[in-house]
Amino acid sequence: MKSIYLDHAATTPMHPRVLEAMLPYLQEQYGNPSSVYSLAREAKNAVEDARKRVAQFIGASPQEIIFTSGGTESDNMALWGVAQANRGRGKHIITTSIEHHAVLDTAAALEKEGFSVTYLPVDGYGQVQVADLKAAIRDDTILISIMYANNEVGTIQPIKELGQVARDHNIIFHTDAVQAAGYLPLDVDRDGVDLLSLSAHKLYGPKGVGVLYIRRGVKVANLLKGGGQERGRRPGTENVAGIVGLGEAIRLCQGKMEERVERLRHLRDLLIAGVLAKIDHVRLNGHPEKRLPGNAHFIFEFIEGESLLISLDLEGIAGSSGSACTSGSLEPSHVLLAMGLPHELAHGSLRLTLGEENTEEDIERVLQVLPPIVQRLRDMSPLYKQRAKVSGA
Ligand code: PLP
């Protein structure tokens, strides 16, 4: 049985060319970029090449790119660092109720330190309203942090319009673009973005490496204390192989983004149309059009997302509930609740996120396997049986 990986929002398999590019820096090119001899210079040059590549990818200049240990660190540094460095100007931060926990938990930690945080609501599709952002701005607002695209339901935010509001009010604007990168063209000037987070492992790159873009002139305090690496902003000997891998992953997706997106959209639409046609009491979550090309997120009434995942796994299909439920918690997803879904429905979620290796045959297999699994689980559900009795089925 061929296994089918449909959890690319969680992580992606590393592209073989990425590994190939990294290997020399794990073997013979082991120099520390901060040293002076030629072995070290090779490593330093490789890091700087990757920095140029990342800068070009988002329309920034290389000096504005800081390499980090991933999306989580980048988000932490953006929120915590801006808050600490700009607290003299005000102590109010605006974010949204559907951010990744790397943002939400940092915001909560800042609240404990005396900052005040407004969590913007979203509509039923998971979109932030520009008017809500305008209404939330206060004289003491120093930072707005809104994700580019949501990791659970795939909804894309109107970042350019939101960034314009931040710009009009002279407020620092951060966006977590971890899920958007590789699928949506990023441009920090067009979007009015002052800080932007990226993570390599969502882009067919290695785990444990990411980026924080910081616009020139924006004050951000360091999270870490130590050496002078990354222009003194992020101390620690550079993860040279990881950074090279990130640069290569970006190089690989740069040339063929449109073609990849088109292919994914086609597969995703086949999947969505098939699921909605073959299964009843199911709904698609997130925006029908303004969603990431590989994201399909459903709610199946009367069943638990967890049981669905286990049954799919037995068939060799890897998916996700796309929520905190996956970590063994019984709490339904904060994103689905923020979108107005009642608790009982939010438990029945399934996120399938497609990637480069997926084919039409994979989608056909899912459409063959999923309907009987859903039916079997519903047959065990007292709620479903009750409903069937009431409707006389
Ligand atoms: N932000 C978003 C939107 C994400 O989806 C993720 C990963 O799931 C992160 C941040 C964290 O990134 P990393 O896994 O590189 O720490």
Side-chain angles (χ1 to χ4, degrees), residues 21 144 180 235 248 274 290 295 305 307-308 323-324 349 351 360 364 370:
I144 297 169
E248 181 65 8
K290 291 181 185 120
N295 177 294
S307 338
L308 198 50
S323 77
S349 59
R351 178 187 72 182
E360 282 194 17
E364 276 162 28
L370 189 58

Side-chain angles (χ1 to χ4, degrees), residues 54-75:
V54 175
Q56 192 194 19
F57 185 55
I58 61 170
S61 65
Q63 301 90 303
E64 297 172 310
I65 302 299
I66 306 290
F67 290 115
T68 66
S69 64
T72 299
E73 185 187 328
S74 300
D75 286 347

Side-chain angles (χ1 to χ4, degrees), residues 9-10 70-73 75 100 102 147 149 151 176 178-179 199 201-202:
T72 299
E73 185 187 328
D75 286 347
H100 188 272
M147 69 198 325
N151 46 305
D176 173 342
V178 165
Q179 294 288 338
S199 176
H201 75 103
K202 312 283 184 179

